[in-house]
Amino acid sequence: MADMKARGRLTRLVDFLNECGMLRRTPRTGYQFLGTGSENVAEHSFRTAVIGHVLALMAGADVARTTYMCLFHDLHEARTGDFNYVAHIYNKSERTKVLEHATDGTGLEEDVLGYWKELEEAETLEARLAQDADQLDFILNLKEELDHGNRYAGQWLESAVERVRTQWGRELAETAMKTDHKDWWFLGPDRDWWARKNGGPDGK
């Protein structure tokens, strides 16, 4: 990290943004055990942030803080990679140190490390909502895999739902378990399209 000290703030901000881009190429590794499904950490972080936003609105919590915790919750994995539950038995990462190094010289240290500390301590409603958002993204993915016929996803779902902490998270999790993942597009907004098959005689 010594060489980083000589780099100006704007350069370090670009370094930081390039590091964030690495999350697009960092796979989430638990799916290798499930046998189906895949995603990278950037994809996971995006929907987790959206879910956190939704949960905070439902709970009357601080929307921005909840969303930011979700957005940055797996940033460290740009350097460490994603450890699945088996890998966690054998590998440990210094996640706080990773974030200290990633933000050093950017001017983002207080914000990002503050969100991380709050998330890890899980004492605030916003932190618990952010942790639920992390689980809910996984739950939605597992439900999709279950809908596609992977019966093992059902076993994983039961465990994932048990990890949800807040009443708002549980409400969403229970609804997700009962909702077919394709309903949002198959049933609407124009359900008649399926009856017209190719769109009708005028092709529309």
PDB file of all heavy atoms in Angstrom, residues 27-40 43 138 140-146 148-150 153 156:
ATOM      1  N   PRO A  27     -17.442 -14.377  -9.251  1.00  0.00           N
ATOM      2  CA  PRO A  27     -18.637 -15.220  -9.134  1.00  0.00           C
ATOM      3  C   PRO A  27     -19.023 -15.484  -7.688  1.00  0.00           C
ATOM      4  O   PRO A  27     -18.171 -15.572  -6.808  1.00  0.00           O
ATOM      5  CB  PRO A  27     -18.214 -16.519  -9.832  1.00  0.00           C
ATOM      6  CG  PRO A  27     -16.735 -16.552  -9.683  1.00  0.00           C
ATOM      7  CD  PRO A  27     -16.271 -15.125  -9.726  1.00  0.00           C
ATOM      8  N   ARG A  28     -20.306 -15.626  -7.465  1.00  0.00           N
ATOM      9  CA  ARG A  28     -20.816 -16.136  -6.195  1.00  0.00           C
ATOM     10  C   ARG A  28     -20.702 -17.660  -6.254  1.00  0.00           C
ATOM     11  O   ARG A  28     -21.181 -18.291  -7.190  1.00  0.00           O
ATOM     12  CB  ARG A  28     -22.265 -15.713  -6.006  1.00  0.00           C
ATOM     13  CG  ARG A  28     -22.456 -14.204  -5.975  1.00  0.00           C
ATOM     14  CD  ARG A  28     -22.815 -13.703  -4.606  1.00  0.00           C
ATOM     15  NE  ARG A  28     -24.141 -14.156  -4.221  1.00  0.00           N
ATOM     16  CZ  ARG A  28     -24.604 -14.116  -2.972  1.00  0.00           C
ATOM     17  NH1 ARG A  28     -23.847 -13.702  -1.986  1.00  0.00           N
ATOM     18  NH2 ARG A  28     -25.826 -14.519  -2.707  1.00  0.00           N
ATOM     19  N   THR A  29     -20.067 -18.246  -5.267  1.00  0.00           N
ATOM     20  CA  THR A  29     -19.596 -19.622  -5.424  1.00  0.00           C
ATOM     21  C   THR A  29     -20.514 -20.687  -4.847  1.00  0.00           C
ATOM     22  O   THR A  29     -20.310 -21.876  -5.092  1.00  0.00           O
ATOM     23  CB  THR A  29     -18.207 -19.780  -4.780  1.00  0.00           C
ATOM     24  OG1 THR A  29     -18.296 -19.460  -3.382  1.00  0.00           O
ATOM     25  CG2 THR A  29     -17.199 -18.852  -5.432  1.00  0.00           C
ATOM     26  N   GLY A  30     -21.547 -20.315  -4.100  1.00  0.00           N
ATOM     27  CA  GLY A  30     -22.403 -21.331  -3.496  1.00  0.00           C
ATOM     28  C   GLY A  30     -23.165 -22.162  -4.499  1.00  0.00           C
ATOM     29  O   GLY A  30     -23.531 -23.318  -4.217  1.00  0.00           O
ATOM     30  N   TYR A  31     -23.388 -21.608  -5.693  1.00  0.00           N
ATOM     31  CA  TYR A  31     -24.197 -22.311  -6.685  1.00  0.00           C
ATOM     32  C   TYR A  31     -23.526 -23.588  -7.198  1.00  0.00           C
ATOM     33  O   TYR A  31     -24.191 -24.453  -7.754  1.00  0.00           O
ATOM     34  CB  TYR A  31     -24.534 -21.374  -7.845  1.00  0.00           C
ATOM     35  CG  TYR A  31     -25.418 -20.229  -7.407  1.00  0.00           C
ATOM     36  CD1 TYR A  31     -24.882 -18.986  -7.118  1.00  0.00           C
ATOM     37  CD2 TYR A  31     -26.786 -20.413  -7.236  1.00  0.00           C
ATOM     38  CE1 TYR A  31     -25.689 -17.946  -6.690  1.00  0.00           C
ATOM     39  CE2 TYR A  31     -27.602 -19.378  -6.811  1.00  0.00           C
ATOM     40  CZ  TYR A  31     -27.044 -18.137  -6.535  1.00  0.00           C
ATOM     41  OH  TYR A  31     -27.840 -17.110  -6.097  1.00  0.00           O
ATOM     42  N   GLN A  32     -22.217 -23.694  -7.010  1.00  0.00           N
ATOM     43  CA  GLN A  32     -21.548 -24.926  -7.452  1.00  0.00           C
ATOM     44  C   GLN A  32     -22.052 -26.120  -6.653  1.00  0.00           C
ATOM     45  O   GLN A  32     -22.063 -27.248  -7.158  1.00  0.00           O
ATOM     46  CB  GLN A  32     -20.033 -24.790  -7.324  1.00  0.00           C
ATOM     47  CG  GLN A  32     -19.529 -24.611  -5.910  1.00  0.00           C
ATOM     48  CD  GLN A  32     -18.039 -24.372  -5.851  1.00  0.00           C
ATOM     49  OE1 GLN A  32     -17.248 -25.297  -5.975  1.00  0.00           O
ATOM     50  NE2 GLN A  32     -17.643 -23.114  -5.669  1.00  0.00           N
ATOM     51  N   PHE A  33     -22.486 -25.906  -5.407  1.00  0.00           N
ATOM     52  CA  PHE A  33     -23.042 -26.983  -4.602  1.00  0.00           C
ATOM     53  C   PHE A  33     -24.500 -27.234  -4.941  1.00  0.00           C
ATOM     54  O   PHE A  33     -24.967 -28.373  -4.904  1.00  0.00           O
ATOM     55  CB  PHE A  33     -22.910 -26.662  -3.108  1.00  0.00           C
ATOM     56  CG  PHE A  33     -21.488 -26.520  -2.654  1.00  0.00           C
ATOM     57  CD1 PHE A  33     -20.968 -25.277  -2.341  1.00  0.00           C
ATOM     58  CD2 PHE A  33     -20.664 -27.623  -2.554  1.00  0.00           C
ATOM     59  CE1 PHE A  33     -19.652 -25.139  -1.927  1.00  0.00           C
ATOM     60  CE2 PHE A  33     -19.344 -27.505  -2.141  1.00  0.00           C
ATOM     61  CZ  PHE A  33     -18.840 -26.252  -1.828  1.00  0.00           C
ATOM     62  N   LEU A  34     -25.223 -26.159  -5.279  1.00  0.00           N
ATOM     63  CA  LEU A  34     -26.636 -26.308  -5.632  1.00  0.00           C
ATOM     64  C   LEU A  34     -26.789 -27.030  -6.964  1.00  0.00           C
ATOM     65  O   LEU A  34     -27.753 -27.757  -7.188  1.00  0.00           O
ATOM     66  CB  LEU A  34     -27.305 -24.934  -5.691  1.00  0.00           C
ATOM     67  CG  LEU A  34     -28.807 -24.910  -5.929  1.00  0.00           C
ATOM     68  CD1 LEU A  34     -29.542 -25.617  -4.795  1.00  0.00           C
ATOM     69  CD2 LEU A  34     -29.301 -23.469  -6.059  1.00  0.00           C
ATOM     70  N   GLY A  35     -25.814 -26.824  -7.851  1.00  0.00           N
ATOM     71  CA  GLY A  35     -25.835 -27.521  -9.138  1.00  0.00           C
ATOM     72  C   GLY A  35     -26.454 -26.734 -10.270  1.00  0.00           C
ATOM     73  O   GLY A  35     -26.264 -27.061 -11.433  1.00  0.00           O
ATOM     74  N   THR A  36     -27.208 -25.692  -9.960  1.00  0.00           N
ATOM     75  CA  THR A  36     -27.786 -24.817 -10.981  1.00  0.00           C
ATOM     76  C   THR A  36     -27.712 -23.387 -10.477  1.00  0.00           C
ATOM     77  O   THR A  36     -27.535 -23.135  -9.287  1.00  0.00           O
ATOM     78  CB  THR A  36     -29.268 -25.149 -11.272  1.00  0.00           C
ATOM     79  OG1 THR A  36     -30.047 -24.922 -10.085  1.00  0.00           O
ATOM     80  CG2 THR A  36     -29.436 -26.584 -11.726  1.00  0.00           C
ATOM     81  N   GLY A  37     -27.856 -22.461 -11.422  1.00  0.00           N
ATOM     82  CA  GLY A  37     -27.840 -21.051 -11.076  1.00  0.00           C
ATOM     83  C   GLY A  37     -26.439 -20.479 -11.063  1.00  0.00           C
ATOM     84  O   GLY A  37     -25.461 -21.202 -10.850  1.00  0.00           O
ATOM     85  N   SER A  38     -26.354 -19.198 -11.305  1.00  0.00           N
ATOM     86  CA  SER A  38     -25.069 -18.502 -11.243  1.00  0.00           C
ATOM     87  C   SER A  38     -25.332 -17.004 -11.195  1.00  0.00           C
ATOM     88  O   SER A  38     -26.364 -16.526 -11.663  1.00  0.00           O
ATOM     89  CB  SER A  38     -24.198 -18.839 -12.457  1.00  0.00           C
ATOM     90  OG  SER A  38     -24.784 -18.327 -13.653  1.00  0.00           O
ATOM     91  N   GLU A  39     -24.404 -16.280 -10.612  1.00  0.00           N
ATOM     92  CA  GLU A  39     -24.439 -14.826 -10.621  1.00  0.00           C
ATOM     93  C   GLU A  39     -23.086 -14.321 -10.159  1.00  0.00           C
ATOM     94  O   GLU A  39     -22.301 -15.064  -9.557  1.00  0.00           O
ATOM     95  CB  GLU A  39     -25.544 -14.272  -9.706  1.00  0.00           C
ATOM     96  CG  GLU A  39     -25.308 -14.525  -8.242  1.00  0.00           C
ATOM     97  CD  GLU A  39     -26.365 -13.884  -7.352  1.00  0.00           C
ATOM     98  OE1 GLU A  39     -27.053 -12.956  -7.799  1.00  0.00           O
ATOM     99  OE2 GLU A  39     -26.497 -14.325  -6.199  1.00  0.00           O
ATOM    100  N   ASN A  40     -22.806 -13.058 -10.461  1.00  0.00           N
ATOM    101  CA  ASN A  40     -21.596 -12.459  -9.925  1.00  0.00           C
ATOM    102  C   ASN A  40     -21.967 -11.541  -8.761  1.00  0.00           C
ATOM    103  O   ASN A  40     -23.145 -11.272  -8.497  1.00  0.00           O
ATOM    104  CB  ASN A  40     -20.793 -11.733 -11.011  1.00  0.00           C
ATOM    105  CG  ASN A  40     -21.570 -10.597 -11.665  1.00  0.00           C
ATOM    106  OD1 ASN A  40     -22.141  -9.736 -10.996  1.00  0.00           O
ATOM    107  ND2 ASN A  40     -21.582 -10.580 -12.992  1.00  0.00           N
ATOM    108  N   GLU A  43     -24.019  -8.340  -9.559  1.00  0.00           N
ATOM    109  CA  GLU A  43     -25.446  -8.606  -9.772  1.00  0.00           C
ATOM    110  C   GLU A  43     -26.162  -8.770  -8.439  1.00  0.00           C
ATOM    111  O   GLU A  43     -27.258  -8.224  -8.226  1.00  0.00           O
ATOM    112  CB  GLU A  43     -25.615  -9.858 -10.629  1.00  0.00           C
ATOM    113  CG  GLU A  43     -25.141  -9.688 -12.066  1.00  0.00           C
ATOM    114  CD  GLU A  43     -24.986 -11.001 -12.807  1.00  0.00           C
ATOM    115  OE1 GLU A  43     -24.849 -12.049 -12.146  1.00  0.00           O
ATOM    116  OE2 GLU A  43     -24.990 -10.965 -14.054  1.00  0.00           O
ATOM    117  N   PHE A 138     -30.915 -13.831  -2.108  1.00  0.00           N
ATOM    118  CA  PHE A 138     -30.601 -15.254  -2.213  1.00  0.00           C
ATOM    119  C   PHE A 138     -31.887 -16.080  -2.265  1.00  0.00           C
ATOM    120  O   PHE A 138     -32.015 -17.020  -3.054  1.00  0.00           O
ATOM    121  CB  PHE A 138     -29.740 -15.660  -1.020  1.00  0.00           C
ATOM    122  CG  PHE A 138     -29.153 -17.042  -1.102  1.00  0.00           C
ATOM    123  CD1 PHE A 138     -28.634 -17.542  -2.288  1.00  0.00           C
ATOM    124  CD2 PHE A 138     -29.093 -17.844   0.029  1.00  0.00           C
ATOM    125  CE1 PHE A 138     -28.082 -18.814  -2.362  1.00  0.00           C
ATOM    126  CE2 PHE A 138     -28.533 -19.109  -0.029  1.00  0.00           C
ATOM    127  CZ  PHE A 138     -28.041 -19.591  -1.226  1.00  0.00           C
ATOM    128  N   LEU A 140     -34.828 -15.178  -3.371  1.00  0.00           N
ATOM    129  CA  LEU A 140     -35.449 -15.016  -4.687  1.00  0.00           C
ATOM    130  C   LEU A 140     -34.747 -15.871  -5.739  1.00  0.00           C
ATOM    131  O   LEU A 140     -35.389 -16.483  -6.601  1.00  0.00           O
ATOM    132  CB  LEU A 140     -35.435 -13.544  -5.105  1.00  0.00           C
ATOM    133  CG  LEU A 140     -36.392 -12.641  -4.322  1.00  0.00           C
ATOM    134  CD1 LEU A 140     -36.045 -11.175  -4.573  1.00  0.00           C
ATOM    135  CD2 LEU A 140     -37.843 -12.918  -4.700  1.00  0.00           C
ATOM    136  N   ASN A 141     -33.432 -15.935  -5.674  1.00  0.00           N
ATOM    137  CA  ASN A 141     -32.689 -16.786  -6.606  1.00  0.00           C
ATOM    138  C   ASN A 141     -33.010 -18.263  -6.383  1.00  0.00           C
ATOM    139  O   ASN A 141     -33.194 -19.022  -7.342  1.00  0.00           O
ATOM    140  CB  ASN A 141     -31.185 -16.560  -6.452  1.00  0.00           C
ATOM    141  CG  ASN A 141     -30.694 -15.347  -7.206  1.00  0.00           C
ATOM    142  OD1 ASN A 141     -31.416 -14.786  -8.030  1.00  0.00           O
ATOM    143  ND2 ASN A 141     -29.477 -14.928  -6.924  1.00  0.00           N
ATOM    144  N   LEU A 142     -33.053 -18.666  -5.113  1.00  0.00           N
ATOM    145  CA  LEU A 142     -33.365 -20.063  -4.811  1.00  0.00           C
ATOM    146  C   LEU A 142     -34.774 -20.431  -5.261  1.00  0.00           C
ATOM    147  O   LEU A 142     -35.003 -21.529  -5.772  1.00  0.00           O
ATOM    148  CB  LEU A 142     -33.214 -20.313  -3.308  1.00  0.00           C
ATOM    149  CG  LEU A 142     -31.789 -20.329  -2.769  1.00  0.00           C
ATOM    150  CD1 LEU A 142     -31.801 -20.401  -1.250  1.00  0.00           C
ATOM    151  CD2 LEU A 142     -30.982 -21.489  -3.351  1.00  0.00           C
ATOM    152  N   LYS A 143     -35.718 -19.510  -5.073  1.00  0.00           N
ATOM    153  CA  LYS A 143     -37.087 -19.786  -5.514  1.00  0.00           C
ATOM    154  C   LYS A 143     -37.132 -19.968  -7.029  1.00  0.00           C
ATOM    155  O   LYS A 143     -37.852 -20.836  -7.546  1.00  0.00           O
ATOM    156  CB  LYS A 143     -38.014 -18.639  -5.089  1.00  0.00           C
ATOM    157  CG  LYS A 143     -39.481 -18.844  -5.507  1.00  0.00           C
ATOM    158  CD  LYS A 143     -40.058 -20.155  -4.968  1.00  0.00           C
ATOM    159  CE  LYS A 143     -41.576 -20.241  -5.109  1.00  0.00           C
ATOM    160  NZ  LYS A 143     -42.053 -20.174  -6.482  1.00  0.00           N
ATOM    161  N   GLU A 144     -36.371 -19.187  -7.751  1.00  0.00           N
ATOM    162  CA  GLU A 144     -36.314 -19.341  -9.207  1.00  0.00           C
ATOM    163  C   GLU A 144     -35.749 -20.706  -9.579  1.00  0.00           C
ATOM    164  O   GLU A 144     -36.266 -21.376 -10.488  1.00  0.00           O
ATOM    165  CB  GLU A 144     -35.479 -18.228  -9.830  1.00  0.00           C
ATOM    166  CG  GLU A 144     -35.433 -18.279 -11.343  1.00  0.00           C
ATOM    167  CD  GLU A 144     -34.773 -17.068 -11.961  1.00  0.00           C
ATOM    168  OE1 GLU A 144     -34.584 -16.055 -11.268  1.00  0.00           O
ATOM    169  OE2 GLU A 144     -34.433 -17.147 -13.169  1.00  0.00           O
ATOM    170  N   GLU A 145     -34.702 -21.126  -8.898  1.00  0.00           N
ATOM    171  CA  GLU A 145     -34.127 -22.437  -9.180  1.00  0.00           C
ATOM    172  C   GLU A 145     -35.107 -23.558  -8.821  1.00  0.00           C
ATOM    173  O   GLU A 145     -35.195 -24.572  -9.523  1.00  0.00           O
ATOM    174  CB  GLU A 145     -32.810 -22.619  -8.419  1.00  0.00           C
ATOM    175  CG  GLU A 145     -31.695 -21.672  -8.855  1.00  0.00           C
ATOM    176  CD  GLU A 145     -31.451 -21.717 -10.346  1.00  0.00           C
ATOM    177  OE1 GLU A 145     -31.363 -22.828 -10.920  1.00  0.00           O
ATOM    178  OE2 GLU A 145     -31.361 -20.632 -10.963  1.00  0.00           O
ATOM    179  N   LEU A 146     -35.854 -23.378  -7.729  1.00  0.00           N
ATOM    180  CA  LEU A 146     -36.876 -24.348  -7.362  1.00  0.00           C
ATOM    181  C   LEU A 146     -37.965 -24.413  -8.431  1.00  0.00           C
ATOM    182  O   LEU A 146     -38.397 -25.503  -8.827  1.00  0.00           O
ATOM    183  CB  LEU A 146     -37.490 -23.974  -6.011  1.00  0.00           C
ATOM    184  CG  LEU A 146     -38.578 -24.905  -5.473  1.00  0.00           C
ATOM    185  CD1 LEU A 146     -38.016 -26.302  -5.196  1.00  0.00           C
ATOM    186  CD2 LEU A 146     -39.197 -24.324  -4.203  1.00  0.00           C
ATOM    187  N   HIS A 148     -37.600 -23.910 -11.466  1.00  0.00           N
ATOM    188  CA  HIS A 148     -37.017 -24.571 -12.634  1.00  0.00           C
ATOM    189  C   HIS A 148     -36.794 -26.060 -12.409  1.00  0.00           C
ATOM    190  O   HIS A 148     -36.330 -26.763 -13.310  1.00  0.00           O
ATOM    191  CB  HIS A 148     -35.689 -23.909 -13.013  1.00  0.00           C
ATOM    192  CG  HIS A 148     -35.861 -22.596 -13.694  1.00  0.00           C
ATOM    193  ND1 HIS A 148     -34.956 -21.561 -13.543  1.00  0.00           N
ATOM    194  CD2 HIS A 148     -36.821 -22.141 -14.520  1.00  0.00           C
ATOM    195  CE1 HIS A 148     -35.361 -20.525 -14.262  1.00  0.00           C
ATOM    196  NE2 HIS A 148     -36.485 -20.860 -14.860  1.00  0.00           N
ATOM    197  N   GLY A 149     -37.106 -26.548 -11.188  1.00  0.00           N
ATOM    198  CA  GLY A 149     -37.061 -27.983 -10.961  1.00  0.00           C
ATOM    199  C   GLY A 149     -35.928 -28.495 -10.103  1.00  0.00           C
ATOM    200  O   GLY A 149     -35.789 -29.708  -9.942  1.00  0.00           O
ATOM    201  N   ASN A 150     -35.107 -27.597  -9.541  1.00  0.00           N
ATOM    202  CA  ASN A 150     -34.030 -28.057  -8.668  1.00  0.00           C
ATOM    203  C   ASN A 150     -34.599 -28.268  -7.259  1.00  0.00           C
ATOM    204  O   ASN A 150     -34.810 -27.320  -6.511  1.00  0.00           O
ATOM    205  CB  ASN A 150     -32.890 -27.043  -8.630  1.00  0.00           C
ATOM    206  CG  ASN A 150     -31.684 -27.550  -7.853  1.00  0.00           C
ATOM    207  OD1 ASN A 150     -31.808 -28.354  -6.939  1.00  0.00           O
ATOM    208  ND2 ASN A 150     -30.508 -27.068  -8.209  1.00  0.00           N
ATOM    209  N   ALA A 153     -32.969 -26.815  -4.078  1.00  0.00           N
ATOM    210  CA  ALA A 153     -33.179 -25.401  -3.772  1.00  0.00           C
ATOM    211  C   ALA A 153     -34.225 -25.231  -2.683  1.00  0.00           C
ATOM    212  O   ALA A 153     -34.156 -24.282  -1.891  1.00  0.00           O
ATOM    213  CB  ALA A 153     -33.581 -24.646  -5.036  1.00  0.00           C
ATOM    214  N   TRP A 156     -32.534 -25.551   0.663  1.00  0.00           N
ATOM    215  CA  TRP A 156     -31.767 -24.334   0.936  1.00  0.00           C
ATOM    216  C   TRP A 156     -32.690 -23.187   1.326  1.00  0.00           C
ATOM    217  O   TRP A 156     -32.355 -22.376   2.185  1.00  0.00           O
ATOM    218  CB  TRP A 156     -30.947 -23.945  -0.289  1.00  0.00           C
ATOM    219  CG  TRP A 156     -29.770 -24.817  -0.567  1.00  0.00           C
ATOM    220  CD1 TRP A 156     -29.649 -26.154  -0.316  1.00  0.00           C
ATOM    221  CD2 TRP A 156     -28.534 -24.422  -1.172  1.00  0.00           C
ATOM    222  NE1 TRP A 156     -28.422 -26.612  -0.743  1.00  0.00           N
ATOM    223  CE2 TRP A 156     -27.719 -25.568  -1.266  1.00  0.00           C
ATOM    224  CE3 TRP A 156     -28.049 -23.217  -1.651  1.00  0.00           C
ATOM    225  CZ2 TRP A 156     -26.447 -25.542  -1.813  1.00  0.00           C
ATOM    226  CZ3 TRP A 156     -26.783 -23.174  -2.203  1.00  0.00           C
ATOM    227  CH2 TRP A 156     -25.985 -24.326  -2.276  1.00  0.00           C
TER     228      TRP A 156
END
